Every structure is written in C-alpha cells, then in structure tokens.
Amino acid sequence: MRDGLLLFETGCAEDLDVKWGAPLTDVFPRVQYDEEHKLPNAIKAAGYDIKDVKGVVFGHLHLDHAGGLEHFVGTDVPIYVHEEEFKHACWAAATGADAAVYLTDYLTLDKLNWKTFNDKQVDLFQGLTLHHAPGHTPGLCILQVNLDKDGTFIFTTDQYHVKENHTLRHPQGWLARDHTAWIRSSDMVERLQRLYNATLVYGHDLETAETLIKAKKFYE
C-alpha cells in the first residue's frame, strides 16, 4: 500500500500460556520465541512501527496465524478475510466444533474492523491477488504478489505447511478439513506457479524462509 504497511497474517498470540493453555501448548508447541519475534518488534526490525499498518490480510484464521490480531483490537485497521473462512471460524469457535484451532479471544466481532469477500479471485490492491484455495480450511486463500523486479511470489499459508506438501504432494491428513478440495487447490497453485514462474513461500517451512531472507534484504 502506498500510504502504509500491509501485513499477510500476524502469527500467534504473545502469551500462549494464557491465550492457549494446555493441552494446546503441548499439541502445538512454540519451540523458539524471543523478543525479536513479537509482532511489534518484527515490524520495527523492518523499519516500520505497528501503527504504520493500514491493513491485515488473512489466508486463514487458525490460532497460529491470527492470534496476533490482539494488537489490532479497538483500532480501525481493516482485517481482510474470505467470507467462508470468517463464518467457519466464528461457528467453530463459538460451538466448540473446531475449537482446537480457532479461539474466541481474537475472533471478537465488535472490536475489529472485519472486511470479508466472497470471490474465488480478488485483486485486493495493485499487484496483490488473493485466490480461494479451500481444503486445509473452507475459506483459505493464497496470496499472489507480483513485484516489478523480483517477479511473482505466492504465499501459500497452510495450503502447504512445508515444501514437501507441495513438491511431493504429501497430503495433510487430519490437518485438512476437505482432502478433495485440498487436491483441487493444489492443482490451482501449480498452474499459477507455472504461469507466473512464481516462487512459493510455504506456511511453516523454515528452510524456505531462511533462504529468501539470506538472499536479499528486501524484494521489490
């Protein structure tokens, strides 16, 4: 965005012992979390302040991707998410149907500026396209970023947790809510990758992230 910073997801909450608690902290352990990993500090390391954030885009609303919404409660920062993801997350958290991965503390309805869409493909801003890719969750969206100099990047969020989910087409097992939809979404991602010669950035693949970080200070 020309007049501010746009985030793609926020990571998890800072205090997991309070926000998650056992057994979630046992099932989904956070193995390393230092001061530099806290969202406001990570943004400062990039040369910005969290107050510079003018929008947050979500691929999906699982607790390890959306817990950082705690920093935007009570602000007018728009929170963009697919309508199907928003409805499923609210239903799942409220009824306990999928309570292990959605939490009510960051799904507050009246203190966040939710902005939903229901398109299979939406050009959110110039150079930024969201593609609906259900499977891992009903409303998951991948983010396609077209850069002038460094080409196209596709942030897969948890369509692919790690590289092997993509390159070896390893399915997600119980982590996928709809396996058939996941396969179809995978086919769509591969078509986009071929069409744009895109670099894929996976949801939880440390090696891919470190390679990109070491290669360049920033991409343009």
Side-chain angles (χ1 to χ4, degrees), residues 120 131-134 142 154 160 182-194:
K120 287 186 175 296
H131 301 270
H132 186 208
I142 61 170
I154 295 176
Y160 303 124
W182 183 84
I183 292 293
R184 291 171 178 164
S185 293
S186 186
D187 291 341
M188 181 262 291
V189 174
E190 291 181 359
R191 287 195 299 270
L192 289 172
Q193 184 185 30
R194 290 194 301 269

Side-chain angles (χ1 to χ4, degrees), residues 100-176:
V101 290
Y102 296 105
L103 299 179
T104 56
D105 73 282
Y106 63 81
L107 289 171
T108 175
L109 300 182
D110 59 343
K111 296 181 180 179
L112 287 168
N113 184 17
W114 296 101
K115 301 291 184 183
T116 62
F117 55 91
N118 197 26
D119 309 80
K120 287 186 175 296
Q121 175 182 320
V122 58
D123 296 315
L124 194 59
F125 299 101
Q126 185 175 358
L128 299 177
T129 302
L130 287 163
H131 301 270
H132 186 208
H136 179 66
T137 70
L140 184 142
C141 288
I142 61 170
L143 175 64
Q144 176 183 337
V145 180
N146 299 320
L147 299 179
D148 292 335
K149 294 183 179 180
D150 291 308
T152 297
F153 291 78
I154 295 176
F155 292 82
T156 73
T157 187
D158 283 358
Q159 165 64 20
Y160 303 124
H161 286 80
V162 294
K163 183 178 181 180
E164 289 75 15
N165 290 135
H166 170 230
T167 58
L168 301 179
R169 291 181 73 88
H170 278 176
Q172 297 179 326
W174 67 273
L175 290 172

Side-chain angles (χ1 to χ4, degrees), residues 11-14 16 20 25 28-39 64 204 206 210:
C12 54
E14 289 187 6
L16 294 196
W20 291 15
T25 50
F28 305 114
R30 184 166 61 186
V31 295
Q32 182 178 356
Y33 192 72
D34 302 319
E35 284 296 317
E36 66 190 82
H37 299 128
K38 294 181 178 180
L39 185 60
D64 55 331
H204 293 267
L206 180 60
E210 288 182 338

